[in-house]
Amino acid sequence: MKKLIVAFVLMLTVCDVSAQDSTTKFEILKLYPVLWQQTAAEYRALCYQAFNAAKMRLDAIPKKKFKKERLAIITDLDETILDNSYLPAQLIKTNRSSGMLSWLDWTTQSAATAVPGAVDFLTYAHKKGVTIFYISNRFVSEVQPTLINLQKLHLPDADSSHLLFRGRYSSKESRRQNVMQFYNVVMLLGDNLNDFMDVFEHKSISERLKETDDHRDDWGNKFIVLPNATYGEWENALFNYDTKLTPVQKLAVLKALLKGFSDGLN
């Protein structure tokens, strides 16, 4: 009987260690993207590349359009214009979990820095006569601290009339359409494909890939994508939008999605 009890305890210990090990691996997976955003010169280069492409696209618009039409750019904020990597970094350093309270603690500080190249590009566009609209899924209650943040960074059109924040629904489509009623939107900027069209919302991995291929001519032209490996719709799609998975379960899902060369490359 003692041998059976000992064996059972050992089995539970092994299972517990295994679960802890999987959790640790998952936490490490979350750490790398934050470090990439904060330390990788490649991340900075990709941001400059995106805004350089945006500037070239803007310069290609005939001058007469600027005189005859009301031109606008719609841009997302977080990880497109504002760098919020300090929040996940702080949560990792203090071993805290993310959530709405931690997010609000961060945004009320109005302390986000600018994504490399963002201020220069939007300032350039504004001087050419383009109106900037910031469509974000920050909540309406976050407008004031966000305005303070944008004004600290000397961003153009940093006033409440140019900030369209989330109300009841997370989809940005109706807010985009509101702007398009009065302006010719020549460009959209974002780090999440939901920032551009509603066809990407709550879609599977394969559906998102297909829609991306279907709109291949828009990327780098009307749609300018900023890099964000930390979070986004792509991450939700990995887990099929199941928010209740544990770290152990998430790690299992991630491993199952990986394609090795032995799985076939087609």
Side-chain angles (χ1 to χ4, degrees):
M1 185 64 178
K2 284 185 177 180
K3 289 183 178 180
L4 285 174
I5 293 173
V6 170
F8 182 67
V9 170
L10 285 173
M11 183 183 71
L12 289 179
T13 303
V14 169
C15 290
D16 184 55
V17 170
S18 178
Q20 289 178 1
D21 184 56
S22 294
T23 302
T24 301
K25 287 178 181 178
F26 185 73
E27 290 304 317
I28 290 173
L29 287 175
K30 297 294 288 183
L31 187 150
Y32 271 106
V34 179
L35 284 174
W36 181 73
Q37 186 167 331
Q38 292 191 341
T39 68
E42 289 82 357
Y43 164 77
R44 182 163 295 206
L46 285 169
C47 293
Y48 287 138
Q49 178 175 265
F51 288 117
N52 285 342
K55 183 176 181 294
M56 287 189 286
R57 174 69 185 89
L58 205 60
D59 289 341
I61 297 173
K63 291 182 179 179
K64 61 182 180 181
K65 261 186 173 295
F66 291 91
K67 295 179 180 179
K68 293 183 178 182
E69 300 181 29
R70 302 176 75 189
L71 305 186
I73 287 174
I74 291 176
T75 181
D76 171 56
L77 277 178
D78 299 311
E79 274 48 73
T80 300
I81 304 301
L82 299 178
D83 179 351
N84 300 287
S85 62
Y86 311 96
L87 173 60
Q90 185 66 25
L91 294 176
I92 292 170
K93 287 167 71 73
T94 56
N95 197 29
R96 293 168 56 205
S97 59
S98 61
M100 182 52 66
L101 288 179
S102 61
W103 172 254
L104 293 175
D105 285 344
W106 161 245
T107 59
T108 54
Q109 296 183 41
S110 307
T113 56
V115 168
V119 176
D120 287 345
F121 171 69
L122 291 183
T123 301
Y124 178 78
H126 189 258
K127 286 181 178 178
K128 285 180 73 75
V130 180
T131 303
I132 313 301
F133 286 94
Y134 304 93
I135 296 184
S136 169
N137 270 349
R138 291 188 176 200
F139 287 96
V140 174
S141 61
E142 298 173 82
V143 166
Q144 193 55 39
T146 303
L147 277 177
I148 293 171
N149 202 158
L150 298 184
Q151 290 164 0
K152 280 182 180 179
L153 297 173
H154 305 290
L155 282 158
D157 290 321
D159 57 64
S160 57
S161 64
H162 291 88
L163 268 64
L164 286 76
F165 280 17
R166 177 177 176 170
R168 183 177 179 183
Y169 301 106
S170 62
S171 175
K172 296 181 176 181
E173 186 61 25
S174 62
R175 285 171 278 167
R176 286 192 290 262
Q177 292 300 324
N178 286 341
V179 174
M180 291 175 183
Q181 284 183 26
F182 304 101
Y183 290 85
N184 177 6
V185 175
V186 295
M187 191 181 303
L188 295 95
L189 311 176
D191 65 293
N192 188 330
L193 298 191
N194 289 7
D195 296 328
F196 303 99
M197 302 175 71
D198 60 356
V199 296
F200 295 103
E201 293 177 12
H202 211 83
K203 296 292 179 65
S204 66
I205 293 172
S206 59
E207 289 171 324
R208 297 181 86 244
L209 291 172
K210 181 183 181 302
E211 292 293 348
T212 302
D213 292 342
D214 288 346
H215 296 89
R216 69 184 69 199
D217 292 337
D218 289 320
W219 310 116
N221 290 306
K222 188 170 184 178
F223 300 156
I224 304 295
V225 186
L226 277 296
N228 179 6
T230 308
Y231 66 90
E233 192 76 354
W234 64 270
E235 183 182 14
N236 295 328
L238 289 175
F239 305 116
N240 199 27
Y241 301 88
D242 187 345
T243 60
K244 297 180 180 179
L245 296 177
T246 67
V248 175
Q249 291 171 324
K250 286 184 176 181
L251 189 59
V253 171
L254 295 178
K255 285 184 176 180
L257 285 170
L258 288 172
K259 293 181 180 179
F261 61 83
S262 62
D263 300 315
L265 302 180
N266 294 326

